[in-house]
Amino acid sequence: MDYKYPEGSIVALLNTDLVTDITKKVLIERGQEKDYQPLFFTLPDFECLTVVCDCLMAQNSNNRMVTMAHAIDTRLNCKTGNGWRYNNMPPDDEMYREGLKGINKTANLLYNKKFIDLPKNHQLEVLGAVQKGLGDGFEWDQLQQQQFFEEMLAEVTEVFFSHPLVQDEMGYAGMADAKGWEKIRLNEREEREPIGIKIETRN
Amino acid sequence: MRTYKNDEIIDAVVIGTGAGGAPLLARLAKAGLKVVALEAGKNWSPKIDFATDEREQNKLFWNFERLSGGGDPIGFGKNNSGIGVGGSTLHYTAYTPRPQPHSFKLYSYFGVGNNWPIGYTDLEPYFEELEQFLGISGPSPYPWGPARKKGYPLPPLPLNGPAQLMQRGCNKMGIKTSPAANAALSADYFQEQIGWRKACTNRGFCQAGCSTGAKASMDVTYIPYAIYYGAEVRAECMATAFEKNSEGKITGVVYKKYGNEERQLCRNVFICAGAIETPRLLLMNNLANSSGQVGKNFLAHVGLQVWGEFDENVRPYKGIPGGLISEDMVLPTDVNFSSGYLIQSIGVMPVTYATQLARAGKIWGEELRKKMRSFNQVAGINMHGECLSSEKNYLELSDEEDEMGLPKPRILFTAGDNEKKMSDHGEKVMRQIWKEAGAKNLLSYHRKAHTLGTCRMGNNREEAVVNKDGNSYDVPNLFICDGSVFATSLSVNPALTIMALSLRTADLFLQKKQTGAHS
């Protein structure tokens, strides 16, 4: 099943007293895309990661909603983490550097091009191979590619789905809770919660 | 807040301010003892500091890196580890079921695992005290377990969409359900020395921090209570080492505050830092480990979750996440595993759900976007099952240093045969419940919940780190109280039991102090 929500209904809530001050501050700031120069990645790596992120979140690179690579670059530059990593994986900074090398190598072996120069369908093919552990290239002898894919996907997912424009697309109104919720049972809705239109799909 | 000087010999230093540390801190302070709590994290003002936003609230998790290995590596950080005044209760879901009596005597019942050196009756008065003090909302009488002397002080919180759906599925299958016991207020509640706490507003964000004070995290209950009675709580102070005298007693606790090393003199120490940080601190200092059991027997509950999409609008971000419970499987018959599990409905926040689709469902790209556009139709059920201790599951110190310059812990975990069989059973039951309730597109998320068991209590000093009073076998003025002392995992969410142990540890200490057995 798929749903479509009226565009802008969630973003419009952010400036109201239905959202607490701190929540407002966090979400409005996050919604403002700024010019960004990478602090951790080299420029080619940063550009590659940006396009990888677009593929992972099915985002049009010419009309981006969120640039996930900003958040990843900032985090790696500050050396903060999420509290754990797989014992058989290198530290996050090394993992990203080596993983991007691996993605470019797999792209090169398949199509003799850098990842960012491939058409979208080939980019998806390369990433699909890495997810399944089938990416070619000696770089993957050193780095467990399936776990790299999972770790990167989890981080990108967190950044993407916490963006107000994406939450708008989902019709997610949870942030507008300054007055709490009274209508919490099945099919109950408060006025500020948008109504989604169901779109029938084959699956 | 009363404060103490580092060179004043105080009665006790308590390391950690979560469910293990805060209740005993309050108990000792009320008895007139001079006590200081050291907390590695910050002291938050939830109304001002806590946003209704998961990513912003990552500040509530223990984000210093741990290494996770074994056949079934455990996720740490937001999955199970908190930091800040209040510890992991800042992000607990507020589930507070009591364990059932047989869970303490697993070996006697099933011939597997261990027996605790104490039983249900030792903790029963503390369960009752906690339920009344914290203002727990729940059904009275409670449908499972021994009859209770007192009911819950407040009626259950209202059922949200996921709870109603689980109720529907279970009714069709003949599984008994009940509104769950939760440590969040269904009505305004007066607390001694604290004042009125306001009723829950159904924000549904318990796991990312309660901004209203309705959830009974330690920062709005036992911590202010302890401070009222003269305890000092030092935030952003990370305990790293101990000073000892020639008799092997601890005389001071060394800690880092904003990068500087300080030392608090004391007569007694209570380590309440959780089942990862407590053994790490002991191993770093080669302390209290003559048994060789520090870090061993790491336990993590079987915590499989099943998600489904419904035609009804669920909007799963509203209401207490764990509204409905069934304990019918806590002691099941005709099964191929020992012990059992409970099941709970679960509401969810969007980023948590999206990350599970990504990790467990391996979903990305357009498919993930589409799944997330159906987020308002989603509901979950969660199982919570016994984990048996195993030699394969333990914590050790690695060669890598963390941001503090301390060795990162490495935790190895592989689910055993009993956990796998129990998880399979639970998955089958929960998927059936969801099908009966009308769910489509089911997704199972294999998850392990909670950190327990790494400094277990026991009657034999060769097999346990602490005795039944929580007192170290090796260091007479050292006590441990948190999830690490669990001798078995118990098949319930652990916070209420940890708090009960905390009050009991304090009471036994105070009794012995009166007789002169403790200084």
Side-chain angles (χ1 to χ4, degrees), chain B residues 152-166:
Chain B
Y152 289 112
L154 293 174
L157 287 153
L159 298 186
N160 61 1
Q164 284 181 280
L165 289 165
M166 178 174 145

Side-chain angles (χ1 to χ4, degrees), chain B residues 440-496:
Chain B
K440 296 169 189 163
N441 302 327
L442 299 184
L443 174 81
S444 301
Y445 180 56
H446 289 265
R447 167 177 169 268
K448 310 287 182 301
H450 307 126
T451 61
L452 303 163
T454 46
C455 294
R456 68 180 175 192
M457 61 161 57
N459 283 326
N460 181 343
R461 63 174 301 148
E462 283 162 13
E463 292 174 358
V465 179
V466 294
N467 67 16
K468 63 185 172 57
D469 298 352
N471 197 181
S472 161
Y473 276 113
D474 299 342
V475 184
N477 64 342
L478 173 66
F479 302 81
I480 299 175
C481 187
D482 51 34
S484 73
V485 303
F486 278 38
T488 67
S489 71
L490 309 176
S491 47
V492 291
N493 316 70
L496 184 76

Side-chain angles (χ1 to χ4, degrees), chain B residues 76-196:
Chain B
F76 292 97
K78 69 186 68 178
N79 185 35
N80 49 24
S81 305
I83 190 169
V85 174
S88 288
T89 67
L90 292 176
H91 74 83
Y92 81 144
T93 321
Y95 290 114
T96 40
R98 291 187 186 187
Q100 292 195 20
H102 72 270
S103 305
F104 293 90
K105 305 292 172 197
L106 212 57
Y107 187 76
S108 303
Y109 262 81
F110 301 104
V112 297
N114 311 294
N115 286 343
W116 285 59
I118 59 174
Y120 179 85
T121 49
D122 293 296
L123 295 179
E124 190 179 16
Y126 297 107
F127 292 144
E128 186 183 301
E129 179 184 340
L130 286 159
E131 286 158 1
Q132 302 300 318
F133 178 78
L134 300 172
I136 290 180
S137 306
S140 304
Y142 193 75
W144 298 275
R148 301 182 183 184
K149 293 182 188 112
K150 264 189 187 173
Y152 289 112
L154 293 174
L157 287 153
L159 298 186
N160 61 1
Q164 284 181 280
L165 289 165
M166 178 174 145
Q167 200 174 37
R168 182 198 290 172
C170 287
N171 282 347
K172 288 189 183 171
M173 290 171 68
I175 296 172
K176 183 167 63 180
T177 62
S178 166
N182 275 294
L185 302 173
S186 59
D188 293 359
Y189 197 69
F190 187 78
Q191 246 176 342
E192 196 190 334
Q193 315 309 357
I194 294 168
W196 285 93

